[in-house]
Amino acid sequence: MNSMRVAQVTEPGGPFEIVERELPEPGPGHVRIAVEASGVCHSDAGFVHNAFPHLTFPLVAGHEVAGRIDALGEGVRYWTVGDRVEVGWFGGHCGHCPPCREGHFIDCRNLRVPGWAYEGGYATHMVAPVNALARIPDTLDAVDAAPLGCAGVTTYNAFKKSSARPGDLVAVIGVGGLGHLAVQYAAKFGFETVAVARGEDKRALAMELGAHHYIDSSAGDPAEELQALGGATAVLATAANSKAMAAGVDGLRPGGELIVIGIDPEPLPITPAQLILSSRSVVGHPSGTSRDIEHTMEFSALAGIRPMTETVPLEEVNEAFARMMSGAARFRMVLVP
Ligand SMILES: [Zn+2]
Ligand SMILES: [Zn+2]
């Protein structure tokens, strides 16, 4: 077969259309991947709607991609045809900018994100640079692996790099595409885990995922309830709502940190005094490198953590995308070619 199918968006905001293309040959230092599963992330909407700089159309989104290497470009070592690989938000670093030279590849000034810097995984095949590849453990299937390349690594790494230690109280604001994974990681890391969401709908699920406490944010003040539990060392704010995320600050114990991973164009309503008087901090957290994605997948396989997914054929990408945008997905839509 010398052709592939991609779900492309021809103009900003426009619908996805399935088109046939010639199968691309990987260039030097790149591999071609036969895609087996591709997660639909809320950030993809930013690409489809042309909200990021330097996008070109037609555009092929998809940065939660699991598949197998099916062709090697010139000079590729350590990877072979048939290897199971994941490509996530981290689609490769340049290796020569100051953050790269300091070893902070995720902060690369030329970070390449699939669907932005090059065509992503809403397709039967894609081409990626080798520094973007993460090896998928044998015990993790492609549909479960795919969302770990963005939603998984972002939540796993946020807690792993936080100051929280086993036994500490942590909270997760929002139980959705990111939050349902964050609760599982927090519990398996040995944290006393609090899930915070609006309403009672998600209480049973949050407890099933491993939460020790559930706070309905519409029924009272979640910060007060966190303080009643002793105050959180870390609050992971996954809700795409600045007001809901900022509400976590007053639930922090002295020295605690609010880790922001939900995206909302509105500013976070936080006053200096809220931070100063208890030595609190607010930090942004960007995801993780291809090696971090490997750690995320290995830990998930080890600890029995899986994303909750709804799989949809690639041809039904418009329906899958709409379902993700409406918030109805439980919890990650995954396209299967
Ligand atoms: Zn993403
Ligand atoms: Zn760089």
Side-chain angles (χ1 to χ4, degrees):
M1 191 182 78
N2 285 322
S3 67
M4 67 170 187
R5 282 172 296 126
V6 303
Q8 70 177 26
V9 172
T10 311
E11 52 187 62
F16 295 90
E17 50 176 11
I18 306 288
V19 295
E20 195 127 332
R21 299 235 195 112
E22 197 177 321
L23 204 55
E25 289 305 320
H30 286 65
V31 300
R32 187 176 67 216
I33 299 166
V35 176
E36 294 176 339
S38 189
V40 178
C41 178
H42 197 269
S43 308
D44 290 331
F47 302 139
V48 168
H49 292 280
N50 205 17
F52 288 85
H54 313 303
L55 287 163
T56 55
F57 287 80
L59 176 143
V60 180
H63 59 266
E64 290 186 343
V65 192
R68 280 174 203 274
I69 295 179
D70 86 335
L72 301 176
E74 200 188 306
V76 172
R77 289 184 294 167
Y78 314 119
W79 298 94
T80 66
V81 169
D83 282 352
R84 300 180 68 225
V85 291
E86 168 88 12
V87 179
W89 175 265
F90 182 89
H93 62 288
C94 76
H96 56 74
C97 72
C100 279
R101 291 169 64 201
E102 289 159 11
H104 304 300
F105 303 143
I106 189 63
D107 299 318
C108 173
R109 289 182 186 168
N110 307 300
L111 183 70
R112 304 180 71 205
V113 178
W116 185 359
Y118 55 87
E119 295 191 327
Y122 289 15
T124 58
H125 296 78
M126 72 178 281
V127 169
V130 285
N131 60 5
L133 303 179
R135 203 173 288 281
I136 301 175
D138 292 343
T139 52
L140 207 58
D141 71 33
V143 168
D144 287 336
L148 302 184
C150 181
V153 69
T154 303
T155 50
Y156 167 86
N157 234 12
F159 278 130
K160 188 173 176 179
K161 292 183 187 290
S162 77
S163 57
R165 292 295 172 264
D168 288 350
L169 188 81
V170 307
V172 176
I173 299 180
V175 180
L178 293 164
H180 87 286
L181 283 164
V183 168
Q184 295 183 69
Y185 289 125
K188 292 289 187 182
F189 283 0
F191 301 144
E192 186 178 354
T193 303
V194 187
V196 182
R198 282 183 68 79
E200 285 294 325
D201 296 0
K202 291 187 175 156
R203 178 185 293 271
L205 172 69
M207 303 306 273
E208 243 171 70
L209 294 173
H212 303 98
H213 312 274
Y214 180 84
I215 296 175
D216 170 1
S217 60
S218 63
D221 181 354
E224 256 173 43
E225 295 195 46
L226 286 174
Q227 289 300 345
L229 291 167
T233 300
V235 172
L236 182 60
T238 75
N241 178 314
S242 289
K243 197 162 167 259
M245 293 194 286
V249 169
D250 287 333
L252 293 169
R253 67 186 302 263
E257 55 185 330
L258 178 75
I259 308 164
V260 177
I261 59 173
I263 293 196
D264 181 354
E266 291 302 312
L268 290 163
I270 296 169
T271 66
Q274 282 177 285
L275 302 177
I276 295 165
L277 298 178
S278 291
S279 312
R280 293 162 173 156
S281 57
V282 179
V283 295
H285 169 70
S287 167
T289 65
S290 48
R291 182 65 177 135
D292 293 326
I293 294 170
E294 275 180 0
H295 282 305
T296 304
M297 293 192 293
E298 285 161 8
F299 183 77
S300 301
L302 185 73
I305 293 172
R306 296 289 184 277
M308 292 171 69
T309 56
E310 295 183 30
T311 56
V312 171
L314 178 64
E315 282 66 24
E316 291 170 29
V317 56
N318 284 297
E319 291 79 359
F321 197 77
R323 191 163 163 75
M324 178 276 296
M325 290 302 286
S326 73
R330 288 291 176 270
F331 280 99
R332 214 62 173 169
M333 304 306 297
V334 178
L335 302 172
V336 181

mmCIF file of all heavy atoms in Angstrom, residues 24-61:
data_model
loop_
_atom_site.group_PDB
_atom_site.id
_atom_site.type_symbol
_atom_site.label_atom_id
_atom_site.label_comp_id
_atom_site.label_asym_id
_atom_site.label_seq_id
_atom_site.Cartn_x
_atom_site.Cartn_y
_atom_site.Cartn_z
ATOM 1 N N PRO A 24 4.280 9.177 2.873
ATOM 2 C CA PRO A 24 5.527 9.944 2.920
ATOM 3 C C PRO A 24 6.719 9.075 3.313
ATOM 4 O O PRO A 24 6.565 8.123 4.076
ATOM 5 C CB PRO A 24 5.254 10.980 4.006
ATOM 6 C CG PRO A 24 4.255 10.328 4.909
ATOM 7 C CD PRO A 24 3.430 9.393 4.060
ATOM 8 N N GLU A 25 7.881 9.400 2.785
ATOM 9 C CA GLU A 25 9.118 8.717 3.189
ATOM 10 C C GLU A 25 9.755 9.532 4.309
ATOM 11 O O GLU A 25 9.847 10.756 4.207
ATOM 12 C CB GLU A 25 10.085 8.606 2.000
ATOM 13 C CG GLU A 25 9.634 7.617 0.925
ATOM 14 C CD GLU A 25 9.357 6.216 1.459
ATOM 15 O OE1 GLU A 25 10.122 5.742 2.326
ATOM 16 O OE2 GLU A 25 8.354 5.612 1.038
ATOM 17 N N PRO A 26 10.194 8.879 5.388
ATOM 18 C CA PRO A 26 10.831 9.643 6.474
ATOM 19 C C PRO A 26 12.199 10.166 6.054
ATOM 20 O O PRO A 26 12.970 9.442 5.428
ATOM 21 C CB PRO A 26 10.951 8.613 7.595
ATOM 22 C CG PRO A 26 10.920 7.277 6.930
ATOM 23 C CD PRO A 26 10.117 7.432 5.664
ATOM 24 N N GLY A 27 12.487 11.408 6.396
ATOM 25 C CA GLY A 27 13.785 12.011 6.102
ATOM 26 C C GLY A 27 14.828 11.553 7.111
ATOM 27 O O GLY A 27 14.547 10.751 8.003
ATOM 28 N N PRO A 28 16.047 12.082 6.995
ATOM 29 C CA PRO A 28 17.109 11.718 7.942
ATOM 30 C C PRO A 28 16.680 11.992 9.388
ATOM 31 O O PRO A 28 16.098 13.032 9.672
ATOM 32 C CB PRO A 28 18.267 12.644 7.542
ATOM 33 C CG PRO A 28 17.989 13.021 6.125
ATOM 34 C CD PRO A 28 16.494 13.033 5.969
ATOM 35 N N GLY A 29 16.943 11.024 10.271
ATOM 36 C CA GLY A 29 16.621 11.217 11.688
ATOM 37 C C GLY A 29 15.134 11.122 12.002
ATOM 38 O O GLY A 29 14.714 11.463 13.105
ATOM 39 N N HIS A 30 14.348 10.659 11.049
ATOM 40 C CA HIS A 30 12.900 10.541 11.251
ATOM 41 C C HIS A 30 12.452 9.094 11.009
ATOM 42 O O HIS A 30 13.141 8.322 10.348
ATOM 43 C CB HIS A 30 12.149 11.459 10.272
ATOM 44 C CG HIS A 30 12.231 12.917 10.633
ATOM 45 N ND1 HIS A 30 13.419 13.613 10.627
ATOM 46 C CD2 HIS A 30 11.270 13.800 11.023
ATOM 47 C CE1 HIS A 30 13.190 14.869 11.002
ATOM 48 N NE2 HIS A 30 11.894 15.005 11.247
ATOM 49 N N VAL A 31 11.287 8.784 11.557
ATOM 50 C CA VAL A 31 10.677 7.474 11.279
ATOM 51 C C VAL A 31 9.243 7.701 10.798
ATOM 52 O O VAL A 31 8.631 8.728 11.107
ATOM 53 C CB VAL A 31 10.650 6.556 12.526
ATOM 54 C CG1 VAL A 31 12.061 6.291 13.043
ATOM 55 C CG2 VAL A 31 9.771 7.132 13.632
ATOM 56 N N ARG A 32 8.747 6.729 10.056
ATOM 57 C CA ARG A 32 7.323 6.741 9.726
ATOM 58 C C ARG A 32 6.623 5.771 10.661
ATOM 59 O O ARG A 32 7.142 4.681 10.936
ATOM 60 C CB ARG A 32 7.095 6.343 8.271
ATOM 61 C CG ARG A 32 5.625 6.520 7.824
ATOM 62 C CD ARG A 32 5.450 6.220 6.348
ATOM 63 N NE ARG A 32 5.688 4.824 6.074
ATOM 64 C CZ ARG A 32 6.271 4.351 4.955
ATOM 65 N NH1 ARG A 32 6.676 5.183 4.016
ATOM 66 N NH2 ARG A 32 6.468 3.061 4.788
ATOM 67 N N ILE A 33 5.475 6.179 11.154
ATOM 68 C CA ILE A 33 4.722 5.381 12.124
ATOM 69 C C ILE A 33 3.379 4.990 11.515
ATOM 70 O O ILE A 33 2.679 5.845 10.958
ATOM 71 C CB ILE A 33 4.487 6.201 13.412
ATOM 72 C CG1 ILE A 33 5.826 6.575 14.060
ATOM 73 C CG2 ILE A 33 3.597 5.441 14.395
ATOM 74 C CD1 ILE A 33 5.715 7.655 15.121
ATOM 75 N N ALA A 34 3.055 3.694 11.592
ATOM 76 C CA ALA A 34 1.703 3.250 11.257
ATOM 77 C C ALA A 34 0.868 3.463 12.513
ATOM 78 O O ALA A 34 1.096 2.832 13.545
ATOM 79 C CB ALA A 34 1.699 1.782 10.849
ATOM 80 N N VAL A 35 -0.072 4.397 12.447
ATOM 81 C CA VAL A 35 -0.839 4.808 13.625
ATOM 82 C C VAL A 35 -1.856 3.730 13.998
ATOM 83 O O VAL A 35 -2.550 3.198 13.129
ATOM 84 C CB VAL A 35 -1.558 6.147 13.344
ATOM 85 C CG1 VAL A 35 -2.437 6.552 14.528
ATOM 86 C CG2 VAL A 35 -0.548 7.248 13.012
ATOM 87 N N GLU A 36 -1.909 3.426 15.292
ATOM 88 C CA GLU A 36 -2.903 2.459 15.783
ATOM 89 C C GLU A 36 -3.978 3.128 16.639
ATOM 90 O O GLU A 36 -5.074 2.603 16.769
ATOM 91 C CB GLU A 36 -2.204 1.355 16.591
ATOM 92 C CG GLU A 36 -1.284 0.507 15.716
ATOM 93 C CD GLU A 36 -0.496 -0.539 16.487
ATOM 94 O OE1 GLU A 36 -0.326 -0.392 17.714
ATOM 95 O OE2 GLU A 36 -0.038 -1.486 15.847
ATOM 96 N N ALA A 37 -3.650 4.258 17.232
ATOM 97 C CA ALA A 37 -4.621 4.978 18.061
ATOM 98 C C ALA A 37 -4.155 6.417 18.216
ATOM 99 O O ALA A 37 -2.957 6.674 18.316
ATOM 100 C CB ALA A 37 -4.737 4.325 19.435
ATOM 101 N N SER A 38 -5.104 7.345 18.228
ATOM 102 C CA SER A 38 -4.754 8.766 18.312
ATOM 103 C C SER A 38 -5.776 9.488 19.188
ATOM 104 O O SER A 38 -6.956 9.565 18.843
ATOM 105 C CB SER A 38 -4.735 9.348 16.887
ATOM 106 O OG SER A 38 -4.215 10.642 16.892
ATOM 107 N N GLY A 39 -5.312 9.992 20.324
ATOM 108 C CA GLY A 39 -6.211 10.670 21.254
ATOM 109 C C GLY A 39 -6.603 12.056 20.750
ATOM 110 O O GLY A 39 -5.848 12.711 20.040
ATOM 111 N N VAL A 40 -7.807 12.478 21.132
ATOM 112 C CA VAL A 40 -8.305 13.808 20.758
ATOM 113 C C VAL A 40 -8.212 14.682 22.011
ATOM 114 O O VAL A 40 -8.896 14.438 23.005
ATOM 115 C CB VAL A 40 -9.770 13.727 20.269
ATOM 116 C CG1 VAL A 40 -10.297 15.113 19.934
ATOM 117 C CG2 VAL A 40 -9.865 12.799 19.054
ATOM 118 N N CYS A 41 -7.312 15.676 21.952
ATOM 119 C CA CYS A 41 -7.034 16.527 23.112
ATOM 120 C C CYS A 41 -7.680 17.887 22.913
ATOM 121 O O CYS A 41 -7.804 18.375 21.791
ATOM 122 C CB CYS A 41 -5.515 16.684 23.255
ATOM 123 S SG CYS A 41 -5.013 17.758 24.610
ATOM 124 N N HIS A 42 -8.060 18.530 24.018
ATOM 125 C CA HIS A 42 -8.690 19.848 23.905
ATOM 126 C C HIS A 42 -7.768 20.853 23.227
ATOM 127 O O HIS A 42 -8.230 21.755 22.527
ATOM 128 C CB HIS A 42 -9.131 20.342 25.284
ATOM 129 C CG HIS A 42 -10.130 21.461 25.209
ATOM 130 N ND1 HIS A 42 -9.746 22.772 25.189
ATOM 131 C CD2 HIS A 42 -11.483 21.446 25.086
ATOM 132 C CE1 HIS A 42 -10.824 23.539 25.075
ATOM 133 N NE2 HIS A 42 -11.888 22.752 25.016
ATOM 134 N N SER A 43 -6.453 20.691 23.402
ATOM 135 C CA SER A 43 -5.508 21.621 22.755
ATOM 136 C C SER A 43 -5.590 21.561 21.235
ATOM 137 O O SER A 43 -5.242 22.525 20.559
ATOM 138 C CB SER A 43 -4.065 21.308 23.158
ATOM 139 O OG SER A 43 -3.956 21.255 24.547
ATOM 140 N N ASP A 44 -6.036 20.422 20.698
ATOM 141 C CA ASP A 44 -6.161 20.326 19.239
ATOM 142 C C ASP A 44 -7.112 21.396 18.697
ATOM 143 O O ASP A 44 -6.965 21.850 17.557
ATOM 144 C CB ASP A 44 -6.657 18.939 18.829
ATOM 145 C CG ASP A 44 -5.609 17.851 19.056
ATOM 146 O OD1 ASP A 44 -4.400 18.170 18.993
ATOM 147 O OD2 ASP A 44 -6.002 16.698 19.302
ATOM 148 N N ALA A 45 -8.073 21.797 19.524
ATOM 149 C CA ALA A 45 -9.013 22.836 19.092
ATOM 150 C C ALA A 45 -8.273 24.148 18.817
ATOM 151 O O ALA A 45 -8.631 24.896 17.903
ATOM 152 C CB ALA A 45 -10.088 23.050 20.152
ATOM 153 N N GLY A 46 -7.213 24.411 19.594
ATOM 154 C CA GLY A 46 -6.409 25.615 19.370
ATOM 155 C C GLY A 46 -5.730 25.606 18.015
ATOM 156 O O GLY A 46 -5.559 26.653 17.385
ATOM 157 N N PHE A 47 -5.352 24.418 17.559
ATOM 158 C CA PHE A 47 -4.727 24.303 16.234
ATOM 159 C C PHE A 47 -5.790 24.424 15.142
ATOM 160 O O PHE A 47 -5.645 25.195 14.195
ATOM 161 C CB PHE A 47 -3.985 22.963 16.100
ATOM 162 C CG PHE A 47 -2.914 22.749 17.139
ATOM 163 C CD1 PHE A 47 -2.736 21.516 17.746
ATOM 164 C CD2 PHE A 47 -2.078 23.797 17.505
ATOM 165 C CE1 PHE A 47 -1.755 21.328 18.704
ATOM 166 C CE2 PHE A 47 -1.086 23.613 18.461
ATOM 167 C CZ PHE A 47 -0.926 22.367 19.061
ATOM 168 N N VAL A 48 -6.874 23.672 15.313
ATOM 169 C CA VAL A 48 -7.945 23.666 14.300
ATOM 170 C C VAL A 48 -8.512 25.082 14.109
ATOM 171 O O VAL A 48 -8.837 25.480 12.994
ATOM 172 C CB VAL A 48 -9.052 22.670 14.726
ATOM 173 C CG1 VAL A 48 -10.297 22.834 13.870
ATOM 174 C CG2 VAL A 48 -8.523 21.242 14.633
ATOM 175 N N HIS A 49 -8.588 25.835 15.205
ATOM 176 C CA HIS A 49 -9.154 27.187 15.122
ATOM 177 C C HIS A 49 -8.084 28.256 14.937
ATOM 178 O O HIS A 49 -8.352 29.439 15.128
ATOM 179 C CB HIS A 49 -10.032 27.473 16.344
ATOM 180 C CG HIS A 49 -11.283 26.648 16.364
ATOM 181 N ND1 HIS A 49 -12.394 26.966 15.620
ATOM 182 C CD2 HIS A 49 -11.573 25.479 16.981
ATOM 183 C CE1 HIS A 49 -13.326 26.025 15.796
ATOM 184 N NE2 HIS A 49 -12.841 25.111 16.627
ATOM 185 N N ASN A 50 -6.875 27.846 14.598
ATOM 186 C CA ASN A 50 -5.814 28.782 14.232
ATOM 187 C C ASN A 50 -5.453 29.738 15.373
ATOM 188 O O ASN A 50 -5.123 30.904 15.138
ATOM 189 C CB ASN A 50 -6.242 29.585 12.985
ATOM 190 C CG ASN A 50 -5.035 30.104 12.205
ATOM 191 O OD1 ASN A 50 -3.914 29.633 12.389
ATOM 192 N ND2 ASN A 50 -5.261 31.082 11.349
ATOM 193 N N ALA A 51 -5.518 29.238 16.613
ATOM 194 C CA ALA A 51 -5.252 30.098 17.767
ATOM 195 C C ALA A 51 -3.775 30.101 18.177
ATOM 196 O O ALA A 51 -3.391 30.798 19.110
ATOM 197 C CB ALA A 51 -6.114 29.633 18.942
ATOM 198 N N PHE A 52 -2.946 29.309 17.512
ATOM 199 C CA PHE A 52 -1.514 29.291 17.788
ATOM 200 C C PHE A 52 -0.777 29.945 16.613
ATOM 201 O O PHE A 52 -1.272 29.905 15.487
ATOM 202 C CB PHE A 52 -1.008 27.847 17.958
ATOM 203 C CG PHE A 52 -1.452 27.180 19.233
ATOM 204 C CD1 PHE A 52 -2.682 26.547 19.315
ATOM 205 C CD2 PHE A 52 -0.637 27.184 20.362
ATOM 206 C CE1 PHE A 52 -3.107 25.925 20.490
ATOM 207 C CE2 PHE A 52 -1.049 26.560 21.534
ATOM 208 C CZ PHE A 52 -2.282 25.931 21.599
ATOM 209 N N PRO A 53 0.384 30.541 16.848
ATOM 210 C CA PRO A 53 1.114 31.197 15.756
ATOM 211 C C PRO A 53 1.715 30.199 14.761
ATOM 212 O O PRO A 53 1.969 29.055 15.119
ATOM 213 C CB PRO A 53 2.224 31.974 16.476
ATOM 214 C CG PRO A 53 2.382 31.319 17.801
ATOM 215 C CD PRO A 53 1.056 30.698 18.151
ATOM 216 N N HIS A 54 1.929 30.664 13.558
ATOM 217 C CA HIS A 54 2.659 29.922 12.512
ATOM 218 C C HIS A 54 2.014 28.597 12.114
ATOM 219 O O HIS A 54 2.708 27.655 11.760
ATOM 220 C CB HIS A 54 4.112 29.656 12.941
ATOM 221 C CG HIS A 54 4.807 30.855 13.499
ATOM 222 N ND1 HIS A 54 4.935 32.031 12.800
ATOM 223 C CD2 HIS A 54 5.399 31.074 14.707
ATOM 224 C CE1 HIS A 54 5.580 32.925 13.549
ATOM 225 N NE2 HIS A 54 5.864 32.371 14.714
ATOM 226 N N LEU A 55 0.699 28.513 12.190
ATOM 227 C CA LEU A 55 0.030 27.288 11.722
ATOM 228 C C LEU A 55 -0.152 27.367 10.215
ATOM 229 O O LEU A 55 -0.289 28.454 9.654
ATOM 230 C CB LEU A 55 -1.333 27.143 12.398
ATOM 231 C CG LEU A 55 -1.311 26.737 13.872
ATOM 232 C CD1 LEU A 55 -2.649 27.025 14.532
ATOM 233 C CD2 LEU A 55 -0.960 25.260 14.018
ATOM 234 N N THR A 56 -0.121 26.215 9.562
ATOM 235 C CA THR A 56 -0.392 26.205 8.123
ATOM 236 C C THR A 56 -1.530 25.224 7.840
ATOM 237 O O THR A 56 -1.672 24.205 8.517
ATOM 238 C CB THR A 56 0.853 25.785 7.311
ATOM 239 O OG1 THR A 56 1.316 24.534 7.799
ATOM 240 C CG2 THR A 56 1.969 26.811 7.405
ATOM 241 N N PHE A 57 -2.330 25.578 6.859
ATOM 242 C CA PHE A 57 -3.473 24.741 6.470
ATOM 243 C C PHE A 57 -3.274 24.277 5.028
ATOM 244 O O PHE A 57 -2.668 25.014 4.243
ATOM 245 C CB PHE A 57 -4.770 25.554 6.613
ATOM 246 C CG PHE A 57 -5.145 25.762 8.050
ATOM 247 C CD1 PHE A 57 -4.508 26.764 8.812
ATOM 248 C CD2 PHE A 57 -6.093 24.967 8.674
ATOM 249 C CE1 PHE A 57 -4.831 26.947 10.151
ATOM 250 C CE2 PHE A 57 -6.424 25.159 10.008
ATOM 251 C CZ PHE A 57 -5.797 26.143 10.754
ATOM 252 N N PRO A 58 -3.749 23.084 4.656
ATOM 253 C CA PRO A 58 -4.471 22.113 5.481
ATOM 254 C C PRO A 58 -3.635 21.600 6.643
ATOM 255 O O PRO A 58 -2.417 21.494 6.539
ATOM 256 C CB PRO A 58 -4.818 20.990 4.513
ATOM 257 C CG PRO A 58 -4.021 21.199 3.296
ATOM 258 C CD PRO A 58 -3.556 22.608 3.273
ATOM 259 N N LEU A 59 -4.353 21.309 7.735
ATOM 260 C CA LEU A 59 -3.703 20.942 8.990
ATOM 261 C C LEU A 59 -4.167 19.544 9.413
ATOM 262 O O LEU A 59 -5.338 19.211 9.271
ATOM 263 C CB LEU A 59 -4.097 21.993 10.033
ATOM 264 C CG LEU A 59 -3.644 21.826 11.475
ATOM 265 C CD1 LEU A 59 -3.296 23.193 12.065
ATOM 266 C CD2 LEU A 59 -4.725 21.172 12.345
ATOM 267 N N VAL A 60 -3.212 18.752 9.918
ATOM 268 C CA VAL A 60 -3.546 17.432 10.471
ATOM 269 C C VAL A 60 -3.159 17.448 11.942
ATOM 270 O O VAL A 60 -1.973 17.513 12.275
ATOM 271 C CB VAL A 60 -2.817 16.297 9.719
ATOM 272 C CG1 VAL A 60 -3.195 14.937 10.319
ATOM 273 C CG2 VAL A 60 -3.143 16.327 8.225
ATOM 274 N N ALA A 61 -4.150 17.427 12.821
ATOM 275 C CA ALA A 61 -3.911 17.497 14.262
ATOM 276 C C ALA A 61 -3.569 16.106 14.811
ATOM 277 O O ALA A 61 -3.539 15.128 14.066
ATOM 278 C CB ALA A 61 -5.138 18.073 14.957
#
